Amino acid sequence: PAKSAKVAAVPHTTAVPANGAATKQETIEEMAGQWSDFRFAPIRESQVSRAMTRRYFSDLDKYAESDVVIVGAGSCGLSTAYCLAKARPDLKIALIEASVSPGGGAWLGGQLFSAMVMRKPADAFLREIGVPYEDMDANFVVVKHAALFTSTILSKVLHFPNVKLFNATAVEDLITRKTDDGGIRLAGVVTNWTLVSMHHDDQSCMDPNTINAPIVISTTGHDGPFGAFSAKRLVSMGGLPALGGMRGLDMNTAEDAIVKGTREIAPGLIIGGMELSEVDGANRMGPTFGAMVLSGVKAAEEALKVFDQ
Ligand code: AHZ
């Protein structure tokens, strides 16, 4: 029988295989025209399973105590993760996304159109992450495809060694503690694989998992089957008297209100992006994304204030 290998610390990138054997790193050009002799390096199926599961469960173990949990990896959550991870490489940041594909509504600009509009001064964020844009006039810029923005920010966030994205994972509840004055403070989140979360009605005994963290940043978007999750849960727990409810579309008031209003709503819970419109009764802005990225900048700033205290 095969001896089980000792679990070693997993480096993020390596050019040398774990067994230490040096391999020649071919280029794509060197492979050209060599297909008759072509052969993949051999592998045993269990090596594939172990390569995935060992890392996943080691990450679950590592991030069970996180410094920050960001709920929702839409345009606001990803921007928050980027700013926070860049400013504080020492913080352990768990990014929880219910969908298999992170990005929320930012894969398209609006309706089913490709281009993404950002009002100035949010163009600063595009320059920060290196996304090219067309400068329209003094007031706004256009990215040729929303997916260019989303894939770029996603790639930057995933490259940070201090961020772990748990996608296909839903936050099902908040972990709270009673404060001395009878209020509540956040102490983390309750999670489950989204496919499990969706079957609580027809399966039994599917208890969740937990992540402890002193700061939870919720960016789950406006109300919907999964949206405005933390705001709604806070209301049902009595931590917030009622939802303000998102109001009709007004680009000019909506974007300023979301950015300025991004704040710690309850001790340990920062809410940003369109989820905040449900808390504050703010207008929606429709297909302009400047407020989402700058709300992410502000959410990160609010979190840093807590750590710097
Ligand atoms: O899957 C959701 C999406 O990717 C995820 N999410 C929601 N509930 C969750 C839960 N656990 C884990 N319980 C959850 N993940 O959160 C993400 C939210 O992304 P979004 O794009 O919906 O929100 P945003 O605030 O980042 O961006 C909003 C974009 C909008 S909506 C709008 C309008 O309606 O007028 N205008 C803009 C720019």
Side-chain angles (χ1 to χ4, degrees):
K3 266 199 210 154
S4 62
K6 212 173 152 213
V7 180
V10 178
H12 284 277
T13 53
T14 176
V16 181
N19 64 13
T23 51
K24 179 179 179 306
Q25 292 192 312
E26 274 180 283
T27 64
I28 295 287
E29 287 77 15
E30 283 167 347
M31 287 182 211
Q34 306 298 315
W35 303 113
S36 55
D37 295 332
F38 176 82
R39 182 171 171 265
F40 275 109
I43 199 162
R44 186 169 171 78
E45 288 75 2
S46 62
Q47 286 181 286
V48 177
S49 302
R50 284 179 176 151
M52 295 186 291
T53 56
R54 192 177 283 177
R55 282 165 178 78
Y56 196 85
F57 288 102
S58 147
D59 282 336
L60 277 181
D61 178 277
K62 180 172 167 192
Y63 285 85
E65 282 287 352
S66 294
D67 295 304
V68 179
V69 174
I70 300 172
V71 190
S75 44
C76 183
L78 287 170
S79 305
T80 307
Y82 173 85
C83 293
L84 211 47
K86 184 181 172 194
R88 288 287 298 268
D90 57 313
L91 295 181
K92 233 193 285 179
I93 303 163
L95 177 55
I96 315 292
E97 169 52 52
S99 176
V100 171
S101 53
W107 291 107
L108 288 162
Q111 197 155 314
L112 294 179
F113 310 136
S114 313
M116 172 185 261
V117 173
M118 283 210 194
R119 290 167 62 205
K120 293 182 179 179
D123 52 323
F125 195 87
L126 296 175
R127 288 191 295 279
E128 163 72 23
I129 62 170
V131 169
Y133 55 78
E134 201 179 331
D135 204 339
M136 298 308 293
D137 62 15
N139 302 329
F140 74 103
V141 303
V142 182
V143 178
K144 70 176 181 180
H145 203 303
L148 176 58
F149 163 78
T150 301
S151 58
T152 305
I153 179 94
L154 186 56
S155 155
K156 301 249 171 209
V157 165
L158 290 173
H159 272 93
F160 283 115
N162 57 329
V163 178
K164 170 64 191 177
L165 168 69
F166 292 98
N167 52 333
T169 304
V171 168
E172 286 193 343
D173 210 337
L174 304 174
I175 303 176
T176 58
R177 307 270 188 256
K178 261 220 158 70
T179 56
D180 293 342
D181 61 2
I184 49 173
R185 81 156 284 114
L186 270 276
V189 296
V190 176
T191 64
N192 220 324
W193 283 314
T194 306
L195 291 175
V196 175
S197 285
M198 290 166 73
H199 285 277
H200 285 309
D201 289 344
D202 55 51
Q203 300 287 326
S204 57
C205 294
M206 299 197 297
D207 270 318
N209 191 25
T210 57
I211 299 179
N212 277 122
I215 295 290
V216 174
I217 305 178
S218 194
T219 63
T220 65
H222 57 66
D223 203 357
F226 275 106
F229 175 80
S230 304
K232 290 191 285 190
R233 193 68 186 97
L234 207 55
V235 171
S236 65
M237 286 188 298
L240 196 67
L243 284 187
M246 184 177 72
R247 304 292 157 87
L249 191 152
D250 181 346
M251 285 184 187
N252 284 303
T253 58
E255 292 212 273
D256 294 12
I258 294 298
V259 176
K260 287 183 180 166
T262 299
R263 64 192 185 281
E264 198 175 12
I265 299 289
L269 177 65
I270 294 164
I271 294 187
M274 279 312 278
E275 182 168 357
L276 192 68
S277 71
E278 302 289 357
V279 176
D280 288 348
N283 292 100
R284 70 192 298 188
M285 69 290 300
T288 53
F289 283 80
M292 296 304 111
V293 298
L294 294 188
S295 174
V297 173
K298 177 112 188 306
E301 205 176 293
E302 295 294 311
L304 292 177
K305 271 189 218 162
V306 178
F307 285 106
D308 292 343
Q309 267 167 21

